Amino acid sequence: MVLVREGARGGKQALVGPLRAGGEYGTRRGTVRHSDIIGRAARARVDAVTAAGAGGRFMVHFPTLAEYVVLCGRQCTPIYPKDAAAIVAMLDAAPGARLLEAGTGNAGLTMHLARAVGPAGTVFTAERDRARAEHARQTVARFRRGALLPSIAFHVGALGDVVREIVGAADPQLAARLGGSADEQWRAGGNLVAPLFDGVVLDMPTPWTQLPLVFGFLKTDRYAVCYLPNMSQVVELVQRCRPWPLIVEDVVEVDWRSWDVRPAVVRSPEGALAAGEPMVCRPTHTPTGHTAFLVKLRKCAAHHHQA
């Protein structure tokens, strides 16, 4: 997959691929042939063709993870890079960490988490919709030729239905020790005898229904982050957390405002500044609307987990 951008500044950009012999990308300025891209270096310029001959000129890039998440095909609203970056920071995700995610969606956050934990870590992600889970797997596979796939374990089903499967994949010895006992025997006072995960992320409308099933597997003094679009959901989550060993540490709404800073085109030289180059300095026209609230919960009870 490559990023193709119109040559003019601020030109339209799009993901193209997977590249294949005979493939084409149609634009309003002509058709870009995949064969003209394959084998070229980053920032190479390629020309589109039209029925009348040469068309527009385009530049080819490797997409960043943020660009890929925003531009790739989707089956639901993605967790945008600004929120994904904040979640990675709130979890204090580090190389080698073992994370649990519920709500794979388009895998935008999944990929950010996988990059944070690196090849030595694992992101166990659950998606209840099978078609969406398969789409997410394909999305990951197409980014940088599947570089992040080894750090992601995909599971299909509601979190409560696949938590035993995930525990078995994360720690087979622990799973065997727990056996098929009832859920209340899997944890004691919200704390499992051998906590598994360095962080938990829940992207679902009612996380308080699933938290009791999984926070026992969260290591003491580590974090669970819930992604919630509405403040009414935040309030209910905070109320539901009161009986559990979870402290509400932070509720955050992430804003991201881009600015346009560049040399100005002076149409009237008489009105230009006497000294220095005139500059444009203003916010861009990109919308900065609300996406979601991020609720950061810290597990505070200490059983069988020493610093």
Side-chain angles (χ1 to χ4, degrees):
M1 301 290 291
V2 295
L3 186 71
V4 173
R5 178 172 60 84
E6 290 186 11
R9 185 184 183 279
K12 180 183 177 183
Q13 57 187 23
L15 284 176
V16 175
L19 299 177
R20 56 183 176 81
E24 294 181 339
Y25 165 58
T27 79
R28 59 188 176 88
R29 300 176 63 194
T31 300
V32 177
R33 299 190 184 100
H34 288 194
S35 58
D36 291 336
I37 300 175
I38 296 172
R40 303 291 297 277
R43 299 191 63 81
R45 296 182 183 275
V46 297
D47 293 319
V49 295
T50 67
R57 171 156 283 197
F58 295 80
M59 183 175 285
V60 180
H61 307 264
F62 289 112
T64 66
L65 179 55
E67 289 168 336
Y68 183 78
V69 167
V70 171
L71 295 173
C72 70
R74 60 183 69 170
Q75 290 199 350
C76 58
T77 302
I79 292 182
Y80 288 98
K82 70 181 183 71
D83 291 319
I87 291 171
V88 169
M90 294 171 95
L91 290 173
D92 191 34
R98 191 158 44 187
L99 305 177
L100 173 63
E101 177 194 33
T104 311
N106 293 296
L109 175 60
T110 313
M111 289 190 286
H112 278 86
L113 296 174
R115 173 173 280 182
V117 303
T122 306
V123 178
F124 297 89
T125 183
E127 171 58 54
R128 63 190 310 161
D129 185 282
R130 183 171 296 277
R132 189 175 294 171
E134 182 55 34
H135 172 78
R137 187 190 297 271
Q138 291 177 4
T139 298
V140 177
R142 288 174 176 173
F143 179 70
R144 303 284 173 91
R145 296 188 174 95
L148 299 176
L149 274 176
S151 297
I152 303 172
F154 293 91
H155 297 266
V156 180
L159 182 59
D161 297 332
V162 298
V163 63
R164 295 172 186 264
E165 173 186 314
I166 293 173
V167 170
D171 189 334
Q173 292 183 346
L174 174 61
R177 199 159 66 245
L178 294 171
S181 56
D183 282 344
E184 58 269 16
Q185 293 175 293
W186 278 50
R187 55 190 186 272
N191 295 277
L192 198 64
V193 293
L196 288 174
F197 299 108
D198 299 285
V200 173
V201 183
L202 301 182
D203 175 16
M204 57 182 61
T206 57
W208 50 86
T209 64
Q210 301 298 304
L211 264 175
L213 303 176
V214 298
F215 73 74
F217 298 102
L218 179 63
K219 294 178 181 179
T220 301
D221 209 36
R222 299 303 298 171
Y223 307 100
V225 176
C226 298
Y227 179 93
L228 296 168
N230 302 317
M231 181 50 71
S232 58
Q233 296 168 304
V234 174
V235 171
E236 182 157 3
L237 173 62
V238 171
Q239 291 173 335
R240 297 284 190 122
C241 283
R242 294 178 67 182
W244 306 331
L246 295 170
I247 297 172
V248 180
E249 276 213 346
D250 215 350
V251 178
V252 174
E253 182 182 21
V254 181
D255 194 14
W256 185 287
R257 191 177 193 184
S258 297
W259 280 66
D260 189 10
V261 181
R262 57 183 169 81
V265 177
V266 180
R267 293 183 173 84
S268 177
E270 295 78 11
L273 296 175
E277 185 180 21
M279 300 288 291
V280 172
C281 303
R282 66 188 179 198
T284 65
H285 301 297
T286 305
T288 57
H290 168 76
T291 50
F293 298 102
L294 308 179
V295 183
K296 178 182 178 182
L297 308 169
R298 183 197 289 261
K299 186 171 179 181
C300 57
H303 288 284
H304 309 288
H305 181 62
Q306 298 176 350

